[in-house]
Amino acid sequence: LQCGGKRYGKKGYFIEPTVLSDVPDDNVCAKEEIFGPVQTIIRFRTVEEVVERANNSVYGLASAVLTHDLDIAMKMSQQLRAGSVWVNCYDIFATQAPFGGYKQSGTGRELGEYGLQQYSEVKTVTIRLSSKNS
């Protein structure tokens, strides 16, 4: 625990922003979606190692890549099994861009054209016309 982790306030279930370092891969904070102000810091040696470890989860809602190298950003964006990949930013949304997860992080998408599909039903109508109408 680098900082935070204490209860915040007297009502509800809130914690201070929390930073954890040297988190093992099998720790719940590394394996599951922690919905709260929690940041884990995990050391790595290669990009391939990061991708393998990140994808070794049943979840895949979102990921972030921080790099100055556009080739690394593109490679990781393609290889990470997450519904959203943010590069050099995080938690940026646009209404025209679909949002949703991979694996057990959900099915379907919100926002964008993909998000509208769940409110639509597709129908095919085929009519054979007599030859005099064609």
Side-chain angles (χ1 to χ4, degrees):
L1 175 68
Q2 292 296 314
C3 66
K6 296 183 186 90
R7 182 182 176 128
Y8 182 80
K10 297 186 188 264
K11 292 184 179 181
Y13 299 97
F14 301 99
I15 62 169
E16 299 173 331
T18 302
V19 177
L20 305 169
S21 64
D22 297 319
V23 177
D25 287 351
D26 61 350
N27 185 286
V28 67
C29 292
K31 297 291 284 182
E32 296 186 14
E33 295 172 331
I34 305 298
F35 290 98
V38 178
Q39 175 67 55
T40 57
I41 300 172
I42 302 173
R43 296 177 189 261
F44 65 92
R45 296 191 193 288
T46 66
V47 170
E48 293 75 22
E49 175 191 356
V50 170
V51 170
E52 180 181 339
R53 289 166 69 186
N55 288 339
N56 187 25
S57 171
V58 296
Y59 301 104
L61 183 59
S63 60
V65 177
L66 303 175
T67 181
H68 294 291
D69 188 326
L70 185 58
D71 290 333
I72 289 175
M74 295 302 294
K75 178 180 180 180
M76 291 186 73
S77 295
Q78 292 171 357
Q79 293 177 350
L80 287 167
R81 299 291 302 151
S84 292
V85 179
W86 287 290
V87 177
N88 296 331
C89 59
Y90 195 77
D91 208 25
I92 306 297
F93 293 94
T95 56
Q96 66 273 27
F99 177 77
Y102 282 18
K103 304 184 252 184
Q104 289 186 26
S105 290
T107 58
R109 293 292 179 264
E110 300 173 10
L111 307 175
E113 184 178 337
Y114 288 98
L116 294 174
Q117 289 178 355
Q118 65 185 330
Y119 299 104
S120 303
E121 288 187 86
V122 176
K123 179 186 288 188
T124 300
V125 176
T126 305
I127 301 174
R128 183 173 185 265
L129 300 174
S130 65
S131 60
K132 64 181 176 185
N133 289 331
S134 55

